[in-house]
Amino acid sequence: MKKHTVDQNCGEIESSYFYRERLAHIFRDSFQFIFSPFFLADRGWVFVADRHGYVVACEKAGQPEFDVKPFYPLHPEKMYIQNNVEEDSRTVCVPVLQDVWFPGYIGVVLPACIEERCAFSFLQGMTAVFRLIQEQYISKTISSCIKAVSQNMGLNSAMQTIVRRFAESLYQVECIAVVFDEEQDGMVPHWSSSEQNWLCRETMKMRNLRKIYEQIVSQFSVERNVLRREDIDIQGLLELEELSEADWLISPFDYNDKIIGFLVVLRDKNFPFTDEEQKFIFRFTKALGPSVHNSALYMRVQRDEQKRSMMFEITKKLHSSINVNDVLHAVIENTKKLYPEMQVDLWLSHDSFSTKLPVKPFSFSTGESKSNVSARAFMEARTIIVKSWGKRSVTLAAPLRGKQGVYGVLELYSDKPISLPAREIEYITMLADTAGNAFENAQLYQQSCHLIKELLLIDEMTRQLNKNIKLNDLLTFITRKLTETFRTEHCCIFSWSEEEKAYVACASTGQENVPLVLRIPEAGKLHDLFVKKESILIADTKEIDSLLPSFSYRSLMAVPLMGKGQVEGAIFLIDSQPNRYTFDDFKRLEMLARHVKVAVTNASLHAEVERMVITDNLTGLYNRKYLYDCIRHSQQRDICGSLILIDVDYFKNINDTYGHQIGDEILIQVAEVLVASIRTSDVAARWGGEEMAVYLPAVQEDIAHQVAERLRMNTMSSTRPAVTISCGVATWLKENGIPSVERLFQQADEALYRAKHSGRNQVCLAGKV
């Protein structure tokens, strides 16, 4: 098959000629897959035409007696068929690539004997090959650009490669690439395919670049992925008159559904962009989005690596000395190295350091502290940056924060316009925090001589704590003493509750009537305290969630109370003033907590032994002696009271039938019913064997009868195997004289006897004693 190319100059505009060359290139690459053995006839032509119908290139098979015309009146959506009787030939042409970069038509000229449907089928197959080669051509154009970018990850080199290669892919366009850098809070230097680079120089002078970026981003949507002249007033937004003489498109570079930059494509308005060009532009920028992101990330990594190296050296110097003056000198000198274009001052709340260093004391008068940037940073314990303050163009104040509070402020300022993006502010804040920690360590070393006095105070408190054996009295003493020692507003002690599956406040100097329950979260400060066993020191809680919602506070210390390797409770100290506690307070509370835990454990063991003495081992109810004591106490305090004596019906038969083990379980079940059916102020006790008793202080006969009936009904419905009880009720009234406890029990026993001999499972009253 011989190749032949038709070069027709029919007045086409230059842009059409630009794409006709590419159409001819794709045609030649496609035709290599269709050679003579597979052609429809032994002679004929295959040709490709542009969107206007002008033949761009053709190939022939055999020796056809007919020729290809330079132009065909083609329809963009219909198959073209023309029969030439004189030449005994038939021309068939179909549209191809309507929705891609440069559309055209593929056609054949065959002998008239070849049927139209055969020609159409052949062209359909040819169209598929043509589209495949077209896709390969576009993919190769984009992939070669991605490969070139990946060979040099520098942002400047990558973006210059992108604009240059893209400009080569479209007809007479100028490309401007813009990348938005969030760290610098603006658009980084712009890249253009034009040597004049006029747009770059102008946009570099613009202010409020973030606002411009956000306005452009807001114009994109799912339906509108490329911006055109009619979509946005880019000329007014950028204030550039030159844009009025150009047609332009804006296509985004995006990464993870976030626009990270734009490609602005400009061309003379006499050659407006076609829909196919618009689709190609969007496809190009979409494919290059990850590469742009990687290059920008690489730039940030390089910038961060340089800062990290300097920060590492500074940190080593700061922590290599325990002398306060050495630490302060290292802070100032290394800050000047990091930011040589700025002046550096160091403000401290202490006045006992070397005057040779540029250290300034704070003045906290009301008027000055509000206007002084460093005073505000110190009091608020946060980094503050102010632009155009007095004669200064920018002033940044970063507090020297330690674990227990703020020691001073590192102040940087300049009278020249300097941009301090978020990342630079973060670095300065990290430097100040590092200096604060180093300063804190040095100060702790100087204060070590005071530790003996503090240990003596702890020893004195420990001796006082161990004198108390009642748990409630002990906890009250602890909270009061801790409040006095640390000069704080509130102290709370929490202990683990198996019932609540949480830590419950067992003592508190404030909000005593409000239940305080702390459940273990999955993360956060409380998780670190109760799970990781880490103490908490918060200088200012203003910007974090409250750990104790029932209190209003700004400063907080909390230490765990350890037992058997587990956190069994915690001590919380809180105050409404920020920066209330020092590092010394923090360490002192940690040491004191160990002694508090020992004292609390001793008191708890004593309380447990006392409980075992006054309770029944099997049922857990109080024993007879404790019940007697409660009744005597009630007779001294109340005007009346009622005693319910209870006996389990046919208990001997239960033991004989089910065994003594089941009998014991029945007694336990009945005891649980009694406790669940009475008030917390009532007393349930085991009288002996299967007999139990319930004393109701300040309750008269009618209410006592109702309670006894409730006990009877609940026992019958709740026990397994079901049992019944008989009850005898006796009531005393102060106005009738206070009987002895023995007399009261005798009356209740007589009433119980009548209930058992009247059929059991009932309640009988003894009358008022």
Side-chain angles (χ1 to χ4, degrees), residues 30 214 217 336 435 454 668 692:
S30 302
E214 292 175 349
V217 169
K336 289 181 177 179
E454 296 173 359
I668 294 173
M692 302 178 191

Side-chain angles (χ1 to χ4, degrees), residues 236 387 410 489 550:
K387 298 180 180 180
L410 184 66
E489 295 177 357
S550 299

Side-chain angles (χ1 to χ4, degrees), residues 93-199:
C93 191
V94 296
V96 65
L97 308 179
Q98 296 98 322
D99 57 345
V100 289
W101 191 359
F102 28 81
Y105 300 84
I106 188 76
V108 292
V109 183
L110 301 168
C113 61
I114 303 299
E115 296 182 4
E116 294 177 4
R117 60 185 182 83
C118 293
F120 178 73
S121 297
F122 174 79
L123 290 177
Q124 287 294 102
M126 186 67 178
T127 298
V129 174
F130 205 81
R131 281 184 173 274
L132 181 63
I133 300 301
Q134 157 74 6
E135 176 64 26
Q136 184 183 35
Y137 182 85
I138 296 176
S139 299
K140 184 178 180 181
T141 300
I142 296 175
S143 62
S144 64
C145 184
I146 295 175
K147 181 180 180 180
V149 169
S150 64
Q151 291 176 351
N152 190 337
M153 291 293 291
L155 187 61
N156 286 327
S157 175
M159 299 310 298
Q160 198 60 49
T161 300
I162 290 174
V163 296
R164 178 176 56 80
R165 294 216 173 195
F166 184 82
E168 294 172 355
S169 302
L170 294 178
Y171 170 71
Q172 289 190 355
V173 296
E174 178 181 356
C175 301
I176 310 295
V178 177
V179 178
F180 186 81
D181 188 356
E182 292 185 353
E183 293 182 354
Q184 302 291 338
D185 196 29
M187 300 181 192
V188 297
H190 316 290
W191 301 269
S192 172
S193 60
S194 170
E195 294 182 357
Q196 296 179 356
N197 209 8
W198 53 267
L199 184 59

Side-chain angles (χ1 to χ4, degrees), residues 98-323:
Q98 296 98 322
D99 57 345
V100 289
W101 191 359
F102 28 81
Y105 300 84
I106 188 76
V108 292
V109 183
L110 301 168
C113 61
I114 303 299
E115 296 182 4
E116 294 177 4
R117 60 185 182 83
C118 293
F120 178 73
S121 297
F122 174 79
L123 290 177
Q124 287 294 102
M126 186 67 178
T127 298
V129 174
F130 205 81
R131 281 184 173 274
L132 181 63
I133 300 301
Q134 157 74 6
E135 176 64 26
Q136 184 183 35
Y137 182 85
I138 296 176
S139 299
K140 184 178 180 181
T141 300
I142 296 175
S143 62
S144 64
C145 184
I146 295 175
K147 181 180 180 180
V149 169
S150 64
Q151 291 176 351
N152 190 337
M153 291 293 291
L155 187 61
N156 286 327
S157 175
M159 299 310 298
Q160 198 60 49
T161 300
I162 290 174
V163 296
R164 178 176 56 80
R165 294 216 173 195
F166 184 82
E168 294 172 355
S169 302
L170 294 178
Y171 170 71
Q172 289 190 355
V173 296
E174 178 181 356
C175 301
I176 310 295
V178 177
V179 178
F180 186 81
D181 188 356
E182 292 185 353
E183 293 182 354
Q184 302 291 338
D185 196 29
M187 300 181 192
V188 297
H190 316 290
W191 301 269
S192 172
S193 60
S194 170
E195 294 182 357
Q196 296 179 356
N197 209 8
W198 53 267
L199 184 59
C200 296
R201 293 197 301 270
E202 293 297 328
T203 52
M204 287 295 288
K205 299 177 182 178
M206 293 187 302
R207 296 182 178 181
N208 204 353
L209 297 178
R210 172 177 283 276
K211 182 178 180 181
I212 296 174
Y213 168 78
E214 292 175 349
Q215 288 181 340
I216 296 177
V217 169
S218 65
Q219 300 299 317
F220 289 98
S221 63
V222 177
E223 296 79 14
R224 183 192 295 168
N225 49 35
V226 175
L227 299 182
R228 308 190 67 163
R229 289 179 60 93
E230 58 270 18
D231 297 328
I232 183 175
D233 182 16
I234 192 69
Q235 178 182 347
L237 187 62
L238 301 180
E239 299 180 355
L240 294 174
E241 294 295 334
E242 292 87 341
L243 288 176
S244 61
E245 301 299 324
D247 187 27
W248 50 266
L249 290 174
I250 300 179
S251 187
F253 294 111
D254 66 82
Y255 182 78
N256 285 346
D257 297 327
K258 182 178 182 181
I259 295 178
I260 59 175
F262 314 105
L263 184 67
V264 184
V265 188
L266 302 100
R267 188 161 64 192
D268 189 283
K269 63 182 180 181
N270 294 321
F271 305 104
F273 293 100
T274 64
D275 292 339
E276 292 78 13
E277 289 175 324
Q278 174 179 321
K279 293 176 181 178
F280 171 74
I281 293 171
F282 175 71
R283 180 174 176 179
F284 186 93
T285 56
K286 185 175 181 61
L288 268 295
S291 298
V292 173
H293 169 76
N294 292 337
S295 295
L297 188 62
Y298 181 72
M299 176 189 68
R300 296 171 191 164
V301 169
Q302 287 183 315
R303 195 161 56 198
D304 292 347
E305 182 62 30
Q306 182 182 9
K307 292 291 184 182
R308 276 195 294 268
S309 298
M310 298 183 73
M311 285 292 297
F312 177 72
E313 293 299 324
I314 292 173
T315 302
K316 286 198 303 183
K317 291 182 179 180
L318 288 176
H319 288 283
S320 63
S321 176
I322 55 176
N323 183 277

